[in-house]
Amino acid sequence: MINVALAGLGTGLSLIVAIGAQNSFVLRQGIRREQVAVIVLICAGADALLITLGVAGFGAIVRSAPVALSVIRWSGIAFLLVYAILALRRCVQPRKTDLQSASSTLTFGAAVSICLALTFLNPHVYLDTMILLGALANSYGQSNRWWFGGGAIIASFLWFCGLGFGSRLLEPIFASPIAWRMLDGLIALVMLAVALMLALS
């Protein structure tokens, strides 16, 4: 059973560690030490919910609703393009560092809204967690599938806690406005790349 849980842990980490829109957002807010706990909780909690649904067999419902996934995909593309434009604007406009600027503080409501959008408007989150992880979990049989799912859920909490709370160690680097402009430029590129990938998928 422990081996099955470790397999779920490794598979879960392999799916979420890749740099994407959600991870970029968590990293940025972690460096700023802004609404980190709620952002980490939403990201990991959403993964836990979707993994649980996948292990329970709800992946088949997702596979049978291509129209819903298409609506999610194009809504996600639109959101990512808007977020990329905002990041690009921060990149090209010289200003105080984000650590010094009170005017750029993200409110609780805004943090929750952005985090939910980045999480649930990405169709790949349903494909990876509900369908792929769900199918892999069920391949271990009725009795062991929840051990696999539990390992994947632990992986999600470990990753987002590490990324959100550990990124503050980078704070000395981001005392410079240039570092923030480079990060925002990278975030804009990631958002555009993810939007393009979704549009072509």
Side-chain angles (χ1 to χ4, degrees):
M1 285 185 274
I2 298 300
N3 288 340
V4 177
L6 289 174
L9 180 74
T11 306
L13 282 174
S14 70
L15 290 174
I16 62 175
V17 165
I19 296 175
Q22 188 186 53
N23 285 341
S24 298
F25 176 70
V26 176
L27 174 66
R28 185 176 193 278
Q29 296 309 119
I31 295 170
R32 287 174 55 82
R33 302 191 183 198
E34 208 174 67
Q35 313 294 350
V36 179
V38 69
I39 289 170
V40 166
L41 187 60
I42 289 172
C43 291
D47 271 5
L49 172 64
L50 294 172
I51 290 167
T52 300
L53 291 174
V55 174
F58 281 82
I61 297 174
V62 174
R63 283 196 299 268
S64 66
V67 174
L69 280 178
S70 184
V71 170
I72 290 170
R73 178 164 64 108
W74 288 106
S75 300
I77 289 167
F79 178 82
L80 288 169
L81 290 175
V82 170
Y83 198 90
I85 291 169
L86 293 174
L88 191 59
R89 190 173 68 177
R90 289 194 306 266
C91 174
V92 299
Q93 288 180 344
R95 67 199 187 294
K96 292 182 179 179
T97 69
D98 276 19
L99 296 175
Q100 297 169 331
S101 175
S103 63
S104 62
T105 299
L106 198 65
T107 65
F108 176 86
V112 169
S113 299
I114 293 171
C115 196
L116 288 173
L118 289 173
T119 301
F120 290 110
L121 290 181
N122 180 2
H124 288 293
V125 86
Y126 302 98
L127 299 175
D128 288 346
T129 54
M130 289 185 72
I131 295 178
L132 179 57
L133 284 176
L136 288 172
N138 281 284
S139 72
Y140 284 90
Q142 193 75 13
S143 58
N144 286 327
R145 61 179 179 162
W146 292 108
W147 285 96
F148 184 94
I153 289 170
I154 290 171
S156 183
F157 274 91
L158 287 175
W159 170 253
F160 285 115
C161 285
L163 183 63
F165 295 107
S167 56
R168 65 185 58 188
L169 298 174
L170 299 173
E171 188 175 318
I173 297 172
F174 287 90
S176 163
I178 294 175
W180 277 106
R181 294 176 72 179
M182 290 176 65
L183 177 64
D184 282 324
L186 177 62
I187 288 173
L189 288 175
V190 168
M191 299 293 175
L192 289 171
V194 174
L196 180 62
M197 181 184 68
L198 289 178
L200 296 177
S201 65

